[in-house]
Amino acid sequence: MHNESTIHVVGSGIVGAATGVAFEEIGHDVRYVDANPQRVSELRADGRSASQSLELDPSSESFIFVCVPTPSTISGYNLSHVRSALAAIGAAIKRSPGFHVVVMRSTVPPLTWVQVTIPELEAATGKPVGDGYEVASAPEFLRQVSALEDARSPKV
């Protein structure tokens, strides 16, 4: 574990699993969160820490990677999973006195940062960004067939 921080991966499908495993391989404490109970069971069967809800350790800082699906539609992206994840993350941050960084890894359209991410977190936490938490963006560029390899060696 580095710097007494924990990495939470919210959404543990292809992108989330690859992201989490890459962090585990370099020594980080990673906890997976997924709404699908079958996925949680699969992760646990693989020896990973996984649950259906986000619980933040109040005595340490954490990085929370949002890796939920953002299916494309005729009018853009469906951000319903992102909104749900941010509401749950905000509620967990509100209960935790620690400092947290929320990292958007899901593919989202431009301006999602100011139109969705920040407003959703501020509404759920009851406090502005900078007061106990920060936000960042690290979009995924993973190919499904080589997701873990791509997460291990990101290209810029």
Side-chain angles (χ1 to χ4, degrees):
M1 187 160 64
H2 298 286
N3 300 327
E4 298 300 316
S5 61
T6 301
I7 293 175
H8 298 271
V9 177
V10 177
S12 302
I14 293 167
V15 171
T19 299
V21 169
F23 279 122
E24 285 175 333
E25 289 179 346
I26 58 173
H28 288 280
D29 177 20
V30 177
R31 298 177 189 167
Y32 299 85
V33 179
D34 202 284
N36 181 336
Q38 181 179 344
R39 183 67 184 133
V40 169
S41 293
E42 291 167 358
L43 289 162
R44 287 179 179 164
D46 286 342
R48 296 196 156 69
S49 174
S51 69
Q52 285 185 264
S53 62
L54 177 63
E55 296 300 327
L56 300 173
D57 183 349
S59 64
S60 70
E61 66 182 21
S62 67
F63 293 87
I64 306 162
F65 282 80
V66 181
C67 300
V68 297
T70 54
S72 58
T73 66
I74 264 184
S75 60
Y77 290 97
N78 176 339
L79 298 180
S80 61
H81 297 293
V82 169
R83 290 179 184 279
S84 293
L86 292 171
I89 291 165
I93 290 172
K94 186 174 185 173
R95 295 187 305 267
S96 174
F99 186 81
H100 310 285
V101 178
V102 179
V103 183
M104 184 60 66
R105 188 117 168 94
S106 296
T107 302
V108 294
L111 299 179
T112 299
W113 184 265
V114 294
Q115 294 173 344
V116 178
T117 305
I118 292 173
E120 291 283 342
L121 287 171
E122 289 181 340
T125 62
K127 26 186 200 182
V129 170
D131 186 0
Y133 69 101
E134 284 292 343
V135 292
S137 179
E140 59 88 5
F141 296 100
L142 306 178
R143 298 164 290 179
Q144 186 170 353
V145 295
S146 59
L148 183 56
E149 176 187 324
D150 292 345
R152 286 178 180 142
S153 302
K155 309 290 187 264
V156 258

